[in-house]
Amino acid sequence: MEIRKIELNGQVFEYQLNIKQIKRCYLKVVAGKIIVNSGPYFSINEIEQLIKDNQDAVLKQIDNYLIKYDYSNGGFVYIFNQRYQIISYDLNNRKTVFHDDKIYVYHRQIQTTIEITLKTILKQYIEKRIQEYLKQAFILPMPAVEIKKYKSRWGACYPKINKVSFNLALVHLNYELIDYVIVHELCHFLQPNHSKQFYQEIKKRLPNYKQCEKKLKEIGI
Ligand SMILES: [Zn+2]
Protein backbone atom coordinates (compact mmCIF):
# COMPACT_ATOMS: atom_id res chain seq x y z
CA MET A 1 0.00 0.00 0.00
CA GLU A 2 1.26 3.44 -0.94
CA ILE A 3 -0.21 6.90 -0.38
CA ARG A 4 0.28 9.21 -3.37
CA LYS A 5 -1.01 12.63 -4.35
CA ILE A 6 -2.96 13.79 -7.36
CA GLU A 7 -4.35 17.14 -8.45
CA LEU A 8 -8.01 17.16 -9.47
CA ASN A 9 -9.72 20.35 -10.49
CA GLY A 10 -6.96 22.49 -8.95
CA GLN A 11 -7.08 20.72 -5.58
CA VAL A 12 -4.59 18.15 -4.26
CA PHE A 13 -6.03 14.83 -3.06
CA GLU A 14 -4.34 11.80 -1.57
CA TYR A 15 -5.05 8.40 -2.99
CA GLN A 16 -4.20 4.95 -1.75
CA LEU A 17 -2.52 2.70 -4.30
CA ASN A 18 -2.62 -1.04 -3.72
CA ILE A 19 -0.63 -3.17 -6.16
CA LYS A 20 -2.22 -6.60 -6.37
CA GLN A 21 -1.90 -9.71 -8.49
CA ILE A 22 -4.84 -8.73 -10.68
CA LYS A 23 -5.12 -8.06 -14.40
CA ARG A 24 -6.97 -4.77 -14.30
CA CYS A 25 -6.91 -1.48 -12.49
CA TYR A 26 -9.90 -0.52 -10.30
CA LEU A 27 -10.81 2.82 -8.84
CA LYS A 28 -13.16 3.35 -5.90
CA VAL A 29 -14.00 5.96 -3.29
CA VAL A 30 -14.62 4.66 0.23
CA ALA A 31 -15.40 6.92 3.19
CA GLY A 32 -14.31 9.96 1.14
CA LYS A 33 -10.94 8.39 0.25
CA ILE A 34 -9.71 7.51 -3.25
CA ILE A 35 -8.45 3.94 -3.52
CA VAL A 36 -6.88 2.30 -6.59
CA ASN A 37 -6.32 -1.44 -6.79
CA SER A 38 -4.00 -2.11 -9.68
CA GLY A 39 -2.26 -5.02 -11.32
CA PRO A 40 1.56 -4.75 -11.38
CA TYR A 41 1.81 -3.78 -15.07
CA PHE A 42 0.20 -0.35 -14.98
CA SER A 43 2.34 2.79 -14.88
CA ILE A 44 1.66 5.65 -12.47
CA ASN A 45 0.66 7.73 -15.52
CA GLU A 46 -1.95 5.19 -16.56
CA ILE A 47 -3.26 4.91 -13.01
CA GLU A 48 -3.52 8.68 -12.59
CA GLN A 49 -5.15 9.02 -16.01
CA LEU A 50 -7.83 6.59 -14.82
CA ILE A 51 -8.51 8.83 -11.81
CA LYS A 52 -8.58 11.93 -14.02
CA ASP A 53 -10.92 10.29 -16.53
CA ASN A 54 -13.35 9.72 -13.66
CA GLN A 55 -12.67 13.03 -11.94
CA ASP A 56 -16.28 14.26 -11.85
CA ALA A 57 -17.64 11.08 -10.27
CA VAL A 58 -14.72 10.92 -7.80
CA LEU A 59 -15.16 14.52 -6.65
CA LYS A 60 -18.90 14.04 -6.30
CA GLN A 61 -18.40 10.99 -4.09
CA ILE A 62 -15.86 12.81 -1.91
CA ASP A 63 -18.30 15.71 -1.52
CA ASN A 64 -21.08 13.33 -0.57
CA TYR A 65 -19.03 11.88 2.22
CA LEU A 66 -19.74 13.64 5.45
CA ILE A 67 -18.03 13.25 8.77
CA LYS A 68 -20.85 11.91 10.94
CA TYR A 69 -19.78 13.17 14.35
CA ASP A 70 -17.38 15.19 16.43
CA TYR A 71 -18.02 14.21 20.03
CA SER A 72 -16.93 17.35 21.82
CA ASN A 73 -18.60 20.33 23.47
CA GLY A 74 -19.69 22.49 20.53
CA GLY A 75 -19.21 19.50 18.20
CA PHE A 76 -21.98 17.68 16.37
CA VAL A 77 -23.56 14.35 15.61
CA TYR A 78 -25.73 13.28 12.68
CA ILE A 79 -28.83 11.33 13.71
CA PHE A 80 -30.95 9.97 10.84
CA ASN A 81 -29.00 12.32 8.57
CA GLN A 82 -29.93 15.41 10.63
CA ARG A 83 -27.16 17.44 12.22
CA TYR A 84 -27.39 18.12 15.98
CA GLN A 85 -25.03 20.42 17.83
CA ILE A 86 -23.58 19.02 21.05
CA ILE A 87 -23.68 21.12 24.20
CA SER A 88 -22.22 19.45 27.26
CA TYR A 89 -22.17 20.10 31.00
CA ASP A 90 -20.10 18.09 33.46
CA LEU A 91 -22.86 17.12 35.90
CA ASN A 92 -21.94 13.44 36.24
CA ASN A 93 -25.35 12.41 34.92
CA ARG A 94 -25.53 10.11 31.89
CA LYS A 95 -28.45 11.95 30.44
CA THR A 96 -29.12 13.61 27.11
CA VAL A 97 -31.89 16.02 26.18
CA PHE A 98 -32.88 17.05 22.67
CA HIS A 99 -34.00 20.59 21.97
CA ASP A 100 -34.53 21.68 18.36
CA ASP A 101 -31.26 20.90 16.57
CA LYS A 102 -29.25 20.62 19.79
CA ILE A 103 -28.40 17.70 22.00
CA TYR A 104 -27.53 18.53 25.61
CA VAL A 105 -25.21 16.08 27.38
CA TYR A 106 -24.84 16.12 31.16
CA HIS A 107 -21.68 14.05 31.52
CA ARG A 108 -18.05 14.67 30.68
CA GLN A 109 -17.85 11.37 28.79
CA ILE A 110 -19.67 12.86 25.83
CA GLN A 111 -19.30 10.03 23.32
CA THR A 112 -20.22 7.21 25.72
CA THR A 113 -23.23 9.15 26.99
CA ILE A 114 -24.53 10.07 23.53
CA GLU A 115 -24.00 6.53 22.26
CA ILE A 116 -26.27 5.15 24.99
CA THR A 117 -29.02 7.44 23.65
CA LEU A 118 -28.23 6.60 20.01
CA LYS A 119 -28.48 2.87 20.74
CA THR A 120 -31.96 3.32 22.19
CA ILE A 121 -33.12 5.55 19.33
CA LEU A 122 -31.81 3.18 16.64
CA LYS A 123 -33.23 0.08 18.33
CA GLN A 124 -36.68 1.68 18.60
CA TYR A 125 -36.64 2.72 14.95
CA ILE A 126 -35.48 -0.68 13.70
CA GLU A 127 -37.99 -2.60 15.84
CA LYS A 128 -40.81 -0.42 14.55
CA ARG A 129 -39.72 -0.91 10.92
CA ILE A 130 -39.32 -4.68 11.36
CA GLN A 131 -42.86 -4.88 12.76
CA GLU A 132 -44.12 -2.99 9.70
CA TYR A 133 -42.16 -5.18 7.28
CA LEU A 134 -43.45 -8.32 9.00
CA LYS A 135 -47.02 -7.16 8.40
CA GLN A 136 -46.45 -6.27 4.75
CA ALA A 137 -43.60 -8.24 3.25
CA PHE A 138 -42.42 -11.21 5.32
CA ILE A 139 -44.02 -14.17 7.00
CA LEU A 140 -41.65 -14.47 9.92
CA PRO A 141 -41.82 -14.34 13.72
CA MET A 142 -40.51 -11.11 15.28
CA PRO A 143 -36.77 -11.53 15.81
CA ALA A 144 -34.75 -10.15 18.73
CA VAL A 145 -32.93 -6.95 17.76
CA GLU A 146 -29.43 -6.13 18.94
CA ILE A 147 -27.40 -2.96 18.31
CA LYS A 148 -23.60 -3.25 18.35
CA LYS A 149 -20.52 -1.33 17.30
CA TYR A 150 -19.22 -3.40 14.39
CA LYS A 151 -15.99 -2.51 12.62
CA SER A 152 -16.72 -3.90 9.19
CA ARG A 153 -20.39 -4.77 8.74
CA TRP A 154 -23.72 -2.99 8.77
CA GLY A 155 -25.71 -5.90 10.13
CA ALA A 156 -25.88 -9.62 10.81
CA CYS A 157 -28.60 -12.26 10.91
CA TYR A 158 -28.71 -15.33 13.19
CA PRO A 159 -31.59 -17.49 11.94
CA LYS A 160 -30.96 -20.31 14.46
CA ILE A 161 -31.61 -18.03 17.43
CA ASN A 162 -34.03 -15.70 15.58
CA LYS A 163 -31.91 -12.63 16.08
CA VAL A 164 -30.79 -9.71 13.90
CA SER A 165 -27.96 -7.42 14.83
CA PHE A 166 -27.22 -3.92 13.49
CA ASN A 167 -24.28 -1.56 13.49
CA LEU A 168 -24.77 1.47 15.74
CA ALA A 169 -23.21 3.60 12.94
CA LEU A 170 -26.48 3.17 10.98
CA VAL A 171 -28.04 5.77 13.27
CA HIS A 172 -26.15 8.52 11.39
CA LEU A 173 -27.65 7.59 8.00
CA ASN A 174 -30.94 8.37 6.29
CA TYR A 175 -34.00 6.15 6.74
CA GLU A 176 -33.78 4.70 3.23
CA LEU A 177 -30.33 3.23 3.83
CA ILE A 178 -31.26 1.88 7.26
CA ASP A 179 -34.36 0.26 5.73
CA TYR A 180 -32.18 -1.40 3.12
CA VAL A 181 -30.01 -2.99 5.83
CA ILE A 182 -33.15 -4.10 7.71
CA VAL A 183 -34.62 -5.76 4.60
CA HIS A 184 -31.21 -7.28 3.79
CA GLU A 185 -30.97 -8.92 7.19
CA LEU A 186 -34.62 -10.07 7.17
CA CYS A 187 -34.05 -11.68 3.75
CA HIS A 188 -31.28 -13.77 5.33
CA PHE A 189 -34.04 -15.62 7.22
CA LEU A 190 -35.24 -16.74 3.76
CA GLN A 191 -31.85 -17.19 2.05
CA PRO A 192 -28.77 -17.52 4.23
CA ASN A 193 -26.15 -16.68 1.57
CA HIS A 194 -25.70 -13.81 -0.86
CA SER A 195 -27.04 -15.91 -3.72
CA LYS A 196 -28.98 -14.77 -6.77
CA GLN A 197 -32.19 -15.89 -5.02
CA PHE A 198 -31.25 -13.78 -2.00
CA TYR A 199 -31.03 -10.63 -4.12
CA GLN A 200 -34.30 -11.55 -5.84
CA GLU A 201 -35.97 -11.60 -2.42
CA ILE A 202 -34.56 -8.13 -1.68
CA LYS A 203 -35.59 -6.79 -5.09
CA LYS A 204 -39.21 -7.91 -4.55
CA ARG A 205 -39.33 -5.69 -1.46
CA LEU A 206 -36.97 -2.87 -2.45
CA PRO A 207 -36.73 -2.48 -6.23
CA ASN A 208 -34.06 0.25 -5.96
CA TYR A 209 -31.87 -1.70 -3.54
CA LYS A 210 -28.76 -1.51 -5.77
CA GLN A 211 -28.50 2.24 -5.30
CA CYS A 212 -28.65 1.77 -1.52
CA GLU A 213 -25.97 -0.90 -1.62
CA LYS A 214 -23.72 1.33 -3.69
CA LYS A 215 -24.23 4.27 -1.35
CA LEU A 216 -23.44 2.16 1.73
CA LYS A 217 -20.22 0.93 0.11
CA GLU A 218 -19.21 4.51 -0.62
CA ILE A 219 -19.97 5.63 2.92
CA GLY A 220 -17.87 2.84 4.40
CA ILE A 221 -17.92 2.17 8.14
ZN1 LIG B 1 -25.87 -10.24 4.00
Side-chain angles (χ1 to χ4, degrees), residues 4-15:
R4 300 186 63 93
K5 284 182 179 157
I6 185 167
E7 192 178 311
L8 300 173
N9 221 1
Q11 220 187 320
V12 177
F13 291 90
E14 283 189 343
Y15 70 95

Side-chain angles (χ1 to χ4, degrees), residues 153 155-157 180 184-185 188 191-194 198-199 202 213:
R153 63 197 307 170
C157 179
Y180 165 70
H184 181 115
E185 298 311 333
H188 276 313
Q191 297 285 342
N193 303 313
H194 293 144
F198 171 76
Y199 284 103
I202 293 189
E213 239 189 8

Side-chain angles (χ1 to χ4, degrees), residues 11 66 87 115 121 133 140 152-153 165 174 179 193 212:
Q11 220 187 320
L66 278 175
I87 297 173
E115 281 179 350
I121 292 174
Y133 279 121
L140 291 171
S152 59
R153 63 197 307 170
S165 187
N174 65 38
D179 287 353
N193 303 313
C212 296

Side-chain angles (χ1 to χ4, degrees), residues 3-189:
I3 303 291
R4 300 186 63 93
K5 284 182 179 157
I6 185 167
E7 192 178 311
L8 300 173
N9 221 1
Q11 220 187 320
V12 177
F13 291 90
E14 283 189 343
Y15 70 95
Q16 181 184 319
L17 175 60
N18 305 313
I19 304 293
K20 298 184 167 186
Q21 292 308 315
I22 51 176
K23 285 190 178 137
R24 290 179 53 196
C25 185
Y26 298 93
L27 165 66
K28 59 182 177 178
V29 179
V30 176
K33 293 193 187 82
I34 306 168
I35 298 172
V36 181
N37 292 325
S38 172
Y41 307 112
F42 290 89
S43 69
I44 291 296
N45 272 345
E46 284 171 310
I47 288 166
E48 299 200 341
Q49 195 55 48
L50 174 73
I51 303 176
K52 284 180 179 156
D53 288 346
N54 293 283
Q55 171 170 305
D56 289 350
V58 167
L59 292 176
K60 199 172 150 226
Q61 284 183 37
I62 292 172
D63 268 1
N64 282 344
Y65 179 71
L66 278 175
I67 296 169
K68 303 295 182 195
Y69 52 76
D70 164 16
Y71 290 119
S72 63
N73 186 20
F76 61 88
V77 57
Y78 277 84
I79 303 172
F80 301 134
N81 211 29
Q82 292 287 314
R83 188 185 167 105
Y84 292 85
Q85 195 193 353
I86 297 169
I87 297 173
S88 78
Y89 299 96
D90 187 0
L91 299 177
N92 204 27
N93 181 352
R94 288 196 187 278
K95 198 179 133 183
T96 58
V97 173
F98 285 91
H99 193 304
D100 296 332
D101 58 351
K102 293 186 175 59
I103 174 168
Y104 292 85
V105 186
Y106 300 106
H107 198 284
R108 90 191 107 79
Q109 289 174 331
I110 297 173
Q111 177 164 0
T112 319
T113 309
I114 292 181
E115 281 179 350
I116 294 168
T117 301
L118 296 184
K119 229 176 184 173
T120 309
I121 292 174
L122 183 63
K123 190 164 192 264
Q124 280 171 356
Y125 175 74
I126 290 177
E127 282 179 342
K128 185 192 89 183
R129 289 302 283 146
I130 290 180
Q131 277 161 3
E132 287 165 3
Y133 279 121
L134 293 189
K135 274 187 201 149
Q136 298 159 6
F138 291 90
I139 302 170
L140 291 171
M142 180 71 193
V145 174
E146 171 188 62
I147 309 293
K148 277 175 84 169
K149 284 175 89 171
Y150 285 108
K151 282 201 175 119
S152 59
R153 63 197 307 170
W154 290 111
C157 179
Y158 305 93
K160 280 186 189 155
I161 52 171
N162 195 32
K163 183 170 94 173
V164 274
S165 187
F166 295 90
N167 192 326
L168 179 62
L170 283 168
V171 79
H172 306 303
L173 309 183
N174 65 38
Y175 295 118
E176 193 188 13
L177 295 179
I178 302 172
D179 287 353
Y180 165 70
V181 180
I182 294 172
V183 171
H184 181 115
E185 298 311 333
L186 290 178
C187 282
H188 276 313
F189 285 114

